[in-house]
Amino acid sequence: MSYVVLARKYRPRNFTEMVGQGHVVQALSNALTTQRLHHAYLFTGTRGVGKTTVSRILAKSLNCLGADGQGGITAEPCGVCQACTDIDSGRFVDYTELDAASNRGVDEVQALLEQAVYKPVQGRFKVFMIDEVHMLTNTAFNAMLKTLEEPPEYLKFVLATTDPQKVPVTVLSRCLQFNLRPMAPETVLEHLQQVLQAENVPAEVQALRLLSRAARGSMRDALSLTDQAIAFGGGQLQEATVRQMLGAVDRSYVLRLIDALARADGATVVDTVDALRVNGLNAASTLEEMTGVLQRMAVLQAVPDRAQAEGLDDPDEAQIARLAQSLPADETQLLYSLCLHGRGELGLAPDEYAALTMVLLRLMAFKPANTAAVSAAAEKKTLKTAEAPVAEVVAPAAALAPTPVPMVRLPVVNPPPAVAPPAPVRAPQPSAMAVSAPAAAPQMPAEPVDDAPWPEDDGPPWEEAEPAPPRVMAIPVRDAGEPGPADQPQARDEHGTQTVLPAAPGGSVEGDFWFETVMQLVRAEAITALVRELGLQSQLIARDTDQWMLRVERSSLNQGNTRERLATALKTIGHEVRLSVEIGSVSDSPARRVAAEAARRQREAEAHILNDPFVQTMMRDFGGKIVPGTLKAITTA
């Protein structure tokens, strides 16, 4: 007898042998048991998941006579009666399979429907199975609609397709639709073990794991690849031979690449890619294997207990766990995204290995700088912070007191500005504030620093509209020529170190100085993109004559030469200093001040509209409403 391929030899003969489609098996078994049978079924799913197999098992269940010839409709066909054996061998008269890919015209469908008027010759039901039904023409679909909706009681339709989106809605509405899902690699692996055990073929688990992943959810593809691997390996399945057959990349290369990227070792990355080129290993397969390892690393970083329990059978789990600890979670996600999108770039490059090198080196280009080294260097410097005691200042306090700055609430729709008491916080002109507002990404509330009462003749604008929200800091408007924080009196201690006097209660001289400096750079467009974000999102912790210490909350802001570019921009306005950046909590940054001012102006704008007599009349007399989010504060000259 000639050899029968594994995909046909081990095709399921009944519902109990079906693998990975429990939801479909349960529904059909219950329907057959209770005999609540529909006249048309539609099975959808990718190739090799069991659509034709389910159709044949359903036909056997409807026509099974039992081993004794006295059986009826059953969910467990016997497999030995005349109907079951004929359906398995493809010669049952009352079971017709039509391939719509090659018989897609109206004539073929009409020829099939002409047989519907005749009762079954041998079985209990006639079953018409149309495979790849989405390939039929519109005329062919229209020709079968009436029969599909009201077929004779002895006729059942079974439709199968890999693309249900192309099936007309008029056909979908006449069928019970079942979606056969792609099978998980673990399910495919377990079934392959059973098949090879029955075939007495020795196989390594890692080889079967490679085959199950290469099948991509299709059991037929898995069995076909297994047939090929048995022939390639001379009757046995070993990991090395299966990798060679599939062109899969050895995971040792992938682990070496990820380890090199975690250590920012560009030389090892380039050498490993050269080794892949020499061995003829596929670049796309390398990125695919890397995404799988990085996914395991991300799970280990998020839920380590569960991930370790699931990976006990993976021999590389210990090394993957070590890499998960050495690579930060944000870099793991970044590298996963780069590998995922990098597969689409391989075909665009003239050399796929050069494209693979660029994809891997891209992470190193965006890799955050070593914050530990920055912190260590900063500890060697003695920086005078804003909390320096006033006793260190040599000049008299009265002579060095900062000049009060008049505080005003910015107008929104031309209301008269109400003068507020002096406060230590300064901001740029409203127009510059409005330009910089979109850059304020962190939406964190600013600490209230303006505790002065409102004038008696001008209460809070939201007094009548809604309960008063928390007050935020008032933003001063400084006239041109008025001294800013950088112009405040300064003194030097006995060592010659420049010390800035502390601000008035509730303020911060360092915060005012850094805000004014950053906004000056933004207005002059001296900093852009990531450099501007570093300035806006950072807080000036301390400054010396030649070195300033900044603090940011995210290490991604301190990437590459961003810090050096910011220092170069500061040099253009007279501050020739070195910058050190540490990671920590930020309480006062230019971005937060801009966001707080924008929020205050928005509340004042909303309150001004709600208190407008015309608006109140429209709301009271005509039931008008203000749609939330439609009001926007504007800056008036």
Side-chain angles (χ1 to χ4, degrees), residues 586-603:
V586 174
S587 59
D588 183 15
S589 66
R592 295 197 179 193
R593 294 194 180 195
V594 172
E597 169 61 10
R600 184 190 67 81
R601 293 175 56 248
Q602 180 67 22
R603 287 196 297 270

Side-chain angles (χ1 to χ4, degrees), residues 378-399:
E379 291 178 358
K380 298 180 181 179
K381 288 287 185 179
T382 304
L383 302 178
K384 299 298 182 179
T385 63
E387 290 76 19
V390 183
E392 292 185 6
V393 182
V394 180

